[in-house]
Amino acid sequence: MQVSTLNDLFVRELRDVYNAERQLIRTLPTMAKKANSPDLSQAIEEHLGQTEQQAERLEQVFSMLDVSSRGPVCKGMKGIIEEGKETLEETDEPDVTDAGIIASAQKVEHYEIATYGTLCEYANVLGHSEIADLLKTTLEEEKAADKKLSELAERGINAMAINGGGSEEMENGRSKNRSRR
C-alpha cells in the first residue's frame, strides 16, 4: 500500500493493529495454559475476551471507513510473540515462567497502547470522532490490562521468582529487596 496521506497511514496502521489482535487471539490461550498462577491465567483469559471484542471493534471501523481489513502481517507483534515463546521455552521454574509471561504480556500491552494512542489522534485529526471513541475504548482496555499485570507482578509473582520460586524474602506480598524488581 502506497502511503501518501495521513488517511493512508491511518488505514495502514489500522490494518497492522488488526493483524496484531488476530495474532494475539491465537496466542493468548497458550499463555493462559502455561501460567501457573490462577490469577494470571484468569487475567489472560479475560483479556482474550477483550481482544476478541477489540478485533470486532476494528472490523466495525473498517466498515465505517468502507475499506478492507486485509493487510500485511504485523511484524512488531510477531516479534514480541516470538520473544515470549522463547522465554517460555527457556524457563522451567513455575514462578519464573509466570514472571516471564507477565513481562511478555506487558510488552504486548505497551505496543498496543502506543498504537491505539496514535490511532486515536489520527482519527481525531481526520474528523472521525465516532471511530476515535471506539479506538479510545480499546486504548483504555489496554491500559487497564497493563495495570492488572503490574499488580499481579507486584503482589508477589516477581518476588516468588527471585530464587526460582518460593522466595523467603516476602513481606506483605512484596520483596524486601526492592532493588531486584
Side-chain angles (χ1 to χ4, degrees):
M1 170 182 186
Q2 187 61 36
V3 177
S4 303
T5 67
L6 183 62
N7 190 69
D8 294 342
L9 183 59
F10 181 54
V11 171
R12 182 194 175 287
E13 293 300 313
L14 285 167
R15 289 175 175 154
D16 188 70
V17 78
Y18 179 71
N19 181 269
E21 298 291 13
R22 301 302 310 164
Q23 289 181 55
L24 287 172
I25 289 168
R26 292 187 301 272
T27 301
L28 288 173
T30 301
M31 289 176 70
K33 286 179 190 161
K34 296 222 179 218
N36 297 285
S37 162
D39 290 340
L40 179 56
S41 182
Q42 181 181 353
I44 294 168
E45 288 174 6
E46 287 172 6
H47 195 59
L48 172 60
Q50 282 184 327
T51 303
E52 290 167 341
Q53 291 174 336
Q54 293 163 357
E56 289 173 10
R57 241 181 253 129
L58 286 168
E59 290 167 2
Q60 185 179 353
V61 168
F62 290 120
S63 178
M64 293 166 77
L65 293 171
D66 195 29
V67 297
S68 167
S69 63
R70 291 194 59 102
V73 170
C74 176
K75 293 175 187 166
M77 187 59 67
K78 185 176 180 179
I80 293 170
I81 289 170
E82 193 58 41
E83 281 185 8
K85 286 179 183 177
E86 288 173 9
T87 297
L88 287 176
E89 291 168 5
E90 294 170 359
T91 58
D92 58 2
E93 176 58 47
D95 295 319
V96 177
T97 298
D98 284 352
I101 288 171
I102 289 173
S104 297
Q106 285 194 291
K107 287 178 185 181
V108 166
E109 296 309 330
H110 291 208
Y111 183 88
E112 291 181 310
I113 289 166
T115 301
Y116 282 108
T118 299
L119 288 171
C120 285
E121 175 59 20
Y122 289 173
N124 283 321
V125 168
L126 292 166
H128 300 303
S129 59
E130 190 176 347
I131 290 171
D133 290 342
L134 289 171
L135 296 170
K136 186 166 179 23
T137 298
T138 298
L139 176 61
E140 294 307 316
E141 289 171 351
E142 301 298 4
K143 288 178 180 179
D146 180 57
K147 182 178 179 185
K148 185 168 196 160
L149 289 165
S150 289
E151 289 170 355
L152 286 169
E154 292 169 1
R155 271 198 337 235
I157 288 175
N158 286 349
M160 295 293 289
I162 288 173
N163 297 319
S167 172
E168 298 295 323
E169 303 243 338
M170 294 284 293
E171 181 179 292
N172 297 327
R174 291 183 182 255
S175 171
K176 288 183 185 178
N177 183 357
R178 303 261 192 254
S179 66
R180 304 225 27 203
R181 279 168 118 189

